[in-house]
Amino acid sequence: MTDPVPTPIAELGAVVLDCPDPRALAAFYAGILGGTVEDEDGGDWVDLKLPGGRTLAFQAAPGHVPPKWPASGDSQQFHLDLTVTDLDAAEKGVLALGATPLDTEDRSRAWRVYADPAGHPFCLCAC
């Protein structure tokens, strides 16, 4: 038996990433996910309006320290799982955009781990 689903009290508006250069990181993710980059306040906050209505936003953080992955004593803070149909083709694309591979040991898995140009981890996951 499953628990009843509670009535939601909110709806997810945007996922926001702190970074040193919001415009550059928005362009990186636009290259992966598509969408439209909207910069209305001079670059301290940039929205990436994604197909389907979601927003991935980027906020200037001058003292940004990238999360560590993997690190048993430190938190990765969060990561994004991005679904793809062809891992090898997607990998070539994200590397060309400036991603850094974080885990190249096991190529048999259905996912691979990278860091974006600001150091946030993300996974390409085969659907």
Side-chain angles (χ1 to χ4, degrees):
M1 180 180 240
T2 61
D3 292 332
V5 177
T7 302
I9 59 172
E11 181 178 315
L12 179 65
V15 174
V16 183
L17 303 179
D18 285 357
C19 59
D21 186 344
R23 279 186 229 125
L25 200 55
F28 171 81
Y29 280 104
I32 297 171
L33 300 169
T36 304
V37 175
E38 297 181 2
D39 176 3
E40 296 182 10
D41 74 354
D44 286 342
W45 182 283
V46 177
D47 287 334
L48 175 58
K49 300 293 186 176
L50 298 170
R54 294 286 182 207
T55 299
L56 188 57
F58 307 90
Q59 175 176 273
H64 173 72
V65 176
K68 296 177 182 174
W69 188 97
S72 59
D74 291 305
S75 171
Q76 69 174 323
Q77 299 173 14
F78 88 106
H79 74 273
L80 298 172
D81 283 346
L82 307 177
T83 304
V84 300
T85 55
D86 183 331
L87 274 173
D88 292 329
E91 178 176 68
K92 287 178 186 174
V94 299
L95 293 176
L97 290 168
T100 302
L102 294 179
D103 183 9
T104 59
E105 295 173 15
D106 186 354
R107 305 298 281 180
S108 67
R109 294 184 305 224
W111 49 273
R112 297 178 187 166
V113 185
Y114 306 87
D116 68 25
H120 304 103
F122 69 93
C123 297
L124 295 177
C125 304
C127 57

